[in-house]
Amino acid sequence: MVGTMCLAQRPTMTVPIEQLSATGLVKDFGGLRAVDVDAFALHAGEIRAVIGPNGAGKTTFVGLLCGRFPPTAGRIRFEGRDITGMPAHERVGLGIAYTFQITSIFGNLSLYDNVALPAQRRAMLDGGGDVRARAMAALKRVGLADRATEIASAQSYGHQRLLEVAMGLALGPKVLILDEPTQGLADSEIAAFIDLVREVARETTILLIEHNMPVVMALAERITVLDRGRILAEGTPEAIRADAAVQAAYLGG
Amino acid sequence: MTRSILLHGLVLAALVALEPVLSEYHHGNLARIMVLAVYAVGYNMLFGYTGLLSLGHAMFFAAGMYGCALLVRLAEWGVGPAFAAGVVCALAAGVVVGFLALRTIGVGFMIVTLMFAEAAHLGILYYNDYTRGDEGFTIPQAIRTVAGLDLSDTTTRYFAALALFAAALIASAAVVQSRTGRVLVAIRENEDRVRMLGFDPFRYKLFALVFSATMAGAAGAAYAVLFGYAGASFAEVQYSILPLLWVLLGGPGTTLGPLLGTVLMFYLIDYASGTIMPGLAALVEAQTGIAAPGLASAWLLMVGLALVLLVLFAPRGLLGVVRARMVPWLP
Amino acid sequence: MDILQYLPFDLPHPALLLAGVLEGTVLAAVLALTALGLSLVFGIMRVVNVAHGEFYMLGAVLAWFVTTWVASVTGGPPWLGFAVALVVAPVVVGAIAAAADWLVLKRLDYDPEATIVATIGLLYIIQQLALTFYGPDARPVVAPFDFRVQTPYFGYSGYKLVVVGAAIVLMLAVWLVLTRTRIGLVMRATQYDRETAQAFGIPVDTVYAGVFALGAGLAAIGAVLIVPIQQAHYLMGGDPLLLSFIVVILGGLGSLKGTLVAAVFIGLSDGLISTLYEPTLAKILATLLVAMVLVFRPQGLFGARAA
Ligand SMILES: Nc1ncnc2c1ncn2[C@@H]1O[C@H](COP(=O)(O)OP(=O)(O)OP(=O)(O)O)[C@@H](O)[C@H]1O
Ligand SMILES: [Mg+2]
């Protein structure tokens, strides 16, 4: 329901544009083939969930997309441009932002400084802009504005997760990759988080790695299921729920 | 921001005010300390703010010192232009070393910088004909003048050292409170995250290294000009360790830590060598009958103990502790 | 400046060449022992021990004290004091190293950068102690025996050849301990994964202290072997430290085989270049080579990969 509503609001999106895509993408760690994806395409404006058992290769897969590690083989394209060899920081400049699964904030800095960095990067890319306003707006969106001067490492785990997301938001990305953002959040925080993602998705494509199935079902328009590095299935939430292979590998297991 | 300007202004004003009241001995010491503190300020930019621990900064100090002094000695340049040339030499060395050494991280970076500095030191010894090796050479007092000012005059020398220190302090305070400074600190805290926020860490680290090398070179060139001597001992590994020690003691990542650390360490060694150690040596001899001539100078022991105790018990240094406990806004 | 004059366009006289090879072999043997100590400590503990050269110096200085003392007390022959030194020096130095590990390194939780800074501090402290109690002079130790081997060109010290033999025997012993004994197994397990080793009941703290002591002890033995050839001096640790670094890095950090190959390579080429040409130039080239290897090939030249 949620998915169709979003699409209905934006008629231009009914013919999906491939925004971020990968072909023949492989990543080996020593003898282990962590990722082996023949074809993957993320469409502009969608909310895509990536699910799969622990160790399926989800983090590694999106890490390849955003350039955290080089692929063993394969090509990655963004908005029609081959970005396979592009360093991570340049991909961020193009508009691909990543928030870390293992909270990766600047623990000794204030919340404000944590979000000021991406805000400052955005201003540099835009050739100007109010860093302070942008940083505070990002904190406000995740509900941390009143703690701006506090030190990041002193925050609760849930707040650190939200700060991580705020850092991604402050970059003003075209594609926001969220790696298990709700891990460790309380139920009330999760509800607020779902609203936040919906709102962000109005101007940003979302690639969401998530273990929490209610969150996936509430947000995702399409779901990609990874298992042992490969795409096991892809489709609407309803289709995925009904898929026997997925049940066996993941949901039922 | 205004608090910070006030604080730095007060420190500089205090250094000006001290000039007429200091005894000749402390007057000379402080001039030397301010020149060395410029070196420490530069080192702090790389180590304290950016988190890169170099074990080879003596090569930049020596690049400035020899870049300047050799031009005076061999090409008969005036000390003013030669000083500028020394600074440029150190800057160029910083760019070259940065491009190579910054490909490594952590322990690799420490050893690569150590090796480059060792090669530079050996190179100075090898070209003995020009550099006069360990013995070094002096720059005659008569030519140590800039724009009619006699730099060998103690008062002029004090204010020249102070001017250089003020420039270094202000430049470093400006950088660390700028957006660039924020990125440098973030690199120290978590480089991978900085990259994933769209910054190219290499460019910022290169900036910090070149800034730091330039300051080291300015200190080296100033030392040659103000104290009239250049020698290979300034390129030895101990001259790479000293700025690390000063910064560790004063507080890595604080603008005033380098000055504080340099002053304290200077007088600690001075006091220990002049008072404690001879007393200890006499005591040892009286008790055991063993003459302990090596106790005459405490340099090695004080440096060694300070390094071990600081990493063990106070890795944030004095001002780091002050900032954590009392003055959170300390830049 | 004429760089060409340093290039070997005329072949040196064979006598000089032979002298260079012999000196290089002796240097390589002692270097291999010393570097092996550094390499073990790095390989198993991931600690870069900058004070390694000072453990070497301590070994040499202790050898002087012990031989002098034995000679004065017993009036016995030089080999007696030397034999005692060969046991006492590495044991005392090893004990000092174990104490340093326990007092300092362990408390830093073996953080790589902090331990480097701490071992630099140890370096200065040890130097000051040696300067204080041994003094600033260089002092010789009499070789335990004295015979000469005749080459076609000149007579050569037989003691130096025995040094080579002794170093080879010691390295074989270390290798056997590492590969064939339970102690070696425990060390390798600790190297592979400290936490898991701990979980399996391996006393990791003891292993670390032991490895640090062993590394220092090897440097001390190398120094005892060398003092009849080179005099003991409180600043003598610098060169072996630099050369050991070069060897360990060229050989691949933590790779024992690579360390040995690199020690032979560096020892021989340093011996040859220093004898035939210019020692400072040889060292400049070696340090630059090491820097470049770390920059462009961090796994070393001779090691396949850091083991
Ligand atoms: N840097 C690495 N080196 C070696 N192996 C790795 C590395 N990173 C990941 N792996 C391995 O690759 C596989 C995929 O890991 P990845 O983290 O991508 O899984 P994931 O789907 O994100 O799992 P989770 O749900 O637990 O986050 C795992 O077997 C993991 O052990
Ligand atoms: Mg993951």
Side-chain angles (χ1 to χ4, degrees):
Chain A
M1 248 343 262
V2 176
T4 42
M5 262 172 60
C6 282
L7 287 175
Q9 283 167 355
R10 280 175 295 179
T12 49
M13 294 297 156
T14 48
V15 182
I17 306 165
E18 283 195 3
Q19 193 175 23
L20 180 61
S21 63
T23 47
L25 201 59
V26 173
K27 179 68 187 178
D28 291 338
F29 287 119
L32 173 81
R33 181 146 294 191
V35 171
D36 186 0
V37 167
D38 289 335
F40 171 86
L42 186 66
H43 301 124
E46 74 172 320
I47 301 180
R48 171 77 63 93
V50 176
I51 63 171
N54 285 113
K58 305 178 296 293
T59 298
T60 309
F61 173 60
V62 298
L64 295 172
L65 296 181
C66 62
R68 288 183 67 210
F69 348 89
T72 308
R75 306 232 67 90
I76 301 162
R77 298 178 73 77
F78 180 69
E79 297 185 335
R81 187 169 161 192
D82 190 314
I83 58 164
T84 313
M86 185 184 274
H89 62 267
E90 284 179 28
R91 296 189 205 197
V92 178
L94 289 183
I96 305 173
Y98 173 74
T99 67
F100 287 63
Q101 173 176 4
I102 298 167
T103 310
S104 181
I105 55 176
F106 303 103
N108 291 327
L109 306 188
S110 67
L111 299 195
Y112 174 77
D113 275 332
N114 270 271
V115 282
L117 277 158
Q120 172 179 328
R121 182 66 198 149
R122 183 75 255 159
M124 283 162 72
L125 290 165
D126 294 348
D130 187 342
V131 171
R132 187 162 188 94
R134 174 175 279 280
M136 288 311 294
L139 283 180
K140 198 172 223 155
R141 276 182 120 172
V142 298
L144 292 174
D146 51 343
R147 296 169 173 265
T149 56
E150 292 175 22
I151 294 296
S153 60
Q155 305 298 309
S156 70
Y157 184 73
H159 284 161
Q160 293 189 9
R161 294 297 307 157
L162 291 174
L163 176 62
E164 178 80 48
V165 173
M167 290 162 82
L169 292 178
L171 272 172
K174 290 178 181 165
V175 175
L176 180 59
I177 302 174
L178 299 162
D179 198 344
E180 300 198 20
T182 65
Q183 199 183 50
L185 293 198
D187 285 349
S188 60
E189 290 171 321
I190 289 181
F193 179 77
I194 291 176
D195 292 340
L196 172 66
V197 172
R198 281 203 186 118
E199 190 202 309
V200 173
R202 287 203 202 126
E203 66 250 19
T204 305
T205 311
I206 305 273
L207 182 59
L208 171 73
I209 300 178
E210 193 49 82
H211 273 300
N212 186 330
M213 285 318 283
V215 174
V216 172
M217 290 302 169
L219 282 171
E221 292 156 11
R222 288 175 70 77
I223 297 175
T224 301
V225 186
L226 271 186
D227 184 33
R228 276 172 266 167
R230 293 169 171 276
I231 294 184
L232 187 68
E234 196 167 279
T236 59
E238 295 72 26
I240 293 301
R241 215 197 304 254
D243 191 302
V246 176
Q247 302 252 335
Y250 186 57
L251 301 172
Chain B
M1 201 63 193
T2 38
R3 281 184 300 202
S4 152
I5 290 172
L6 199 66
L7 176 68
H8 292 102
L10 276 176
V11 169
L12 291 175
L15 287 170
V16 173
L18 277 174
E19 197 276 332
V21 296
L22 286 176
S23 73
E24 195 184 330
Y25 177 66
H26 294 294
H27 190 277
N29 283 350
L30 201 54
R32 205 175 294 261
I33 287 169
M34 284 189 290
V35 171
L36 295 176
V38 172
Y39 185 19
V41 166
Y43 192 85
N44 189 32
M45 184 62 71
L46 191 64
F47 169 62
Y49 287 98
T50 319
L52 288 167
L53 203 164
S54 152
L55 292 179
H57 258 48
M59 72 183 134
F60 304 126
F61 189 89
M65 173 174 263
Y66 279 98
C68 169
L70 283 177
L71 282 172
V72 174
R73 179 170 129 90
L74 301 173
E76 291 172 12
W77 283 34
V79 289
F83 173 82
V87 176
V88 172
C89 281
L91 186 149
V95 172
V96 173
V97 170
F99 263 100
L100 292 168
L102 288 174
R103 296 172 55 109
T104 61
I105 51 166
V107 170
F109 182 79
M110 297 166 85
I111 300 178
V112 167
T113 47
L114 181 71
M115 289 296 161
F116 276 130
E118 187 57 28
H121 173 225
L122 292 168
I124 291 171
L125 296 179
Y126 184 69
Y127 290 107
N128 188 17
D129 292 348
Y130 305 102
T131 62
R132 312 231 3 233
D134 274 328
E135 193 187 323
F137 57 90
T138 54
I139 299 175
Q141 189 171 339
I143 56 171
R144 278 156 54 201
T145 57
V146 168
L149 290 174
D150 175 8
L151 293 176
S152 61
D153 168 71
T154 50
T155 306
T156 316
R157 182 170 73 187
Y158 184 96
F159 282 114
L162 177 53
L164 185 70
F165 175 72
L169 183 68
I170 292 167
S172 110
V175 167
V176 303
Q177 295 178 10
S178 72
R179 291 182 178 178
T180 303
R182 184 185 277 143
V183 179
L184 296 182
V185 169
I187 289 176
R188 178 188 75 197
E189 296 290 312
N190 188 345
E191 180 170 342
D192 197 27
R193 192 60 175 120
V194 171
R195 181 179 295 109
M196 294 316 290
L197 291 177
F199 299 95
D200 181 1
F202 178 82
R203 283 178 48 185
Y204 286 88
K205 291 198 284 188
L206 186 63
F207 166 80
L209 197 150
V210 171
F211 180 97
S212 170
T214 307
M215 290 281 166
Y223 202 98
V225 168
L226 296 180
F227 300 98
Y229 172 76
S233 62
F234 288 103
E236 275 175 11
V237 69
Q238 68 175 60
Y239 259 86
S240 296
I241 306 301
L242 282 173
L244 167 66
L245 176 58
W246 297 328
V247 170
L248 267 179
L249 177 60
T254 61
T255 51
L256 292 168
L259 176 68
L260 182 65
T262 314
V263 172
L264 284 181
M265 207 60 221
F266 188 95
Y267 278 104
L268 203 61
I269 292 174
D270 191 59
Y271 178 69
S273 298
T275 312
I276 302 179
M277 296 311 267
L280 205 61
L283 193 71
V284 167
E285 194 162 355
Q287 293 293 317
T288 64
I290 302 171
L295 279 177
S297 159
W299 194 93
L300 293 166
L301 189 66
M302 296 316 280
V303 170
L305 276 179
L307 282 172
V308 171
L309 295 178
L310 282 169
V311 279
L312 272 178
F313 301 111
R316 281 188 297 193
L318 292 170
L319 290 186
V321 172
V322 169
R323 171 155 66 195
R325 299 255 169 87
M326 289 170 273
V327 196
W329 55 268
L330 199 69
Chain C
M1 54 187 181
D2 181 14
I3 292 176
L4 290 186
Q5 66 178 310
Y6 295 115
L7 291 179
F9 283 120
D10 347 292
L11 268 182
H13 188 271
L16 213 52
L17 204 61
L18 181 64
V21 170
L22 284 173
E23 288 298 310
T25 311
V26 177
L27 182 65
V30 174
L31 185 55
L33 263 186
T34 313
L36 184 62
L38 193 67
S39 181
L40 274 178
V41 167
F42 182 80
I44 293 170
M45 305 168 66
R46 299 277 131 186
V47 165
V48 177
N49 178 18
V50 185
H52 196 64
E54 306 317 308
F55 290 139
Y56 177 93
M57 178 271 286
L58 272 186
V61 165
L62 282 172
W64 181 85
F65 274 116
V66 170
T67 50
T68 311
W69 181 77
V70 170
S72 72
V73 171
T74 66
W79 64 261
L80 183 62
F82 190 81
V84 177
L86 214 42
V87 177
V88 170
V91 168
V92 172
V93 171
I96 293 173
D101 171 75
W102 184 69
L103 281 173
V104 181
L105 303 187
K106 187 179 147 203
R107 281 158 212 261
L108 294 172
D109 204 21
Y110 302 99
D111 173 80
E113 298 197 356
T115 46
I116 291 196
V117 176
T119 56
I120 293 172
L122 285 177
L123 177 157
Y124 287 125
I125 294 173
I126 295 174
Q127 265 183 17
Q128 176 90 63
L129 293 179
L131 175 62
T132 302
F133 296 106
Y134 176 78
D137 307 323
R139 299 175 212 199
V141 167
V142 184
F145 39 73
D146 183 26
F147 65 91
R148 294 190 86 69
V149 178
Q150 196 53 45
T151 75
Y153 309 101
F154 49 81
Y156 195 71
S157 157
Y159 174 73
K160 288 190 180 179
L161 299 181
V162 172
V163 167
V164 176
I168 292 173
V169 170
L170 280 165
M171 279 183 289
L172 266 178
V174 171
W175 181 76
L176 282 176
V177 168
L178 282 180
T179 53
R180 297 291 150 86
T181 65
R182 221 193 97 72
I183 298 177
L185 185 72
V186 164
M187 281 186 188
R188 277 179 290 135
T190 313
Q191 161 176 25
Y192 186 69
D193 184 343
R194 188 175 152 197
E195 271 78 40
T196 314
Q198 190 121 42
F200 275 92
I202 292 178
V204 170
D205 286 348
T206 316
V207 174
Y208 273 26
V211 169
F212 204 61
L214 175 63
L218 283 170
I221 294 188
V224 176
L225 290 174
I226 209 78
V227 271
I229 304 171
Q230 262 172 29
Q231 305 191 345
H233 183 251
Y234 84 105
L235 289 177
M236 75 190 294
D239 259 15
L241 176 70
L242 183 66
L243 286 175
S244 299
F245 258 79
I246 294 173
V247 162
V248 171
I249 289 162
L250 293 188
L253 284 166
S255 146
L256 294 191
K257 262 184 228 144
T259 301
L260 292 190
V261 178
V264 173
F265 173 76
I266 288 293
L268 275 180
S269 52
D270 196 78
L272 273 173
I273 297 177
S274 304
T275 312
L276 301 179
Y277 308 106
E278 170 67 50
T280 312
L281 187 67
K283 266 199 244 158
I284 295 178
L285 294 178
T287 41
L288 286 179
L289 178 65
V290 163
M292 290 306 163
V293 165
L294 276 174
V295 170
F296 294 106
R297 221 191 117 84
Q299 66 274 47
L301 283 183
F302 301 107
R305 63 190 184 87

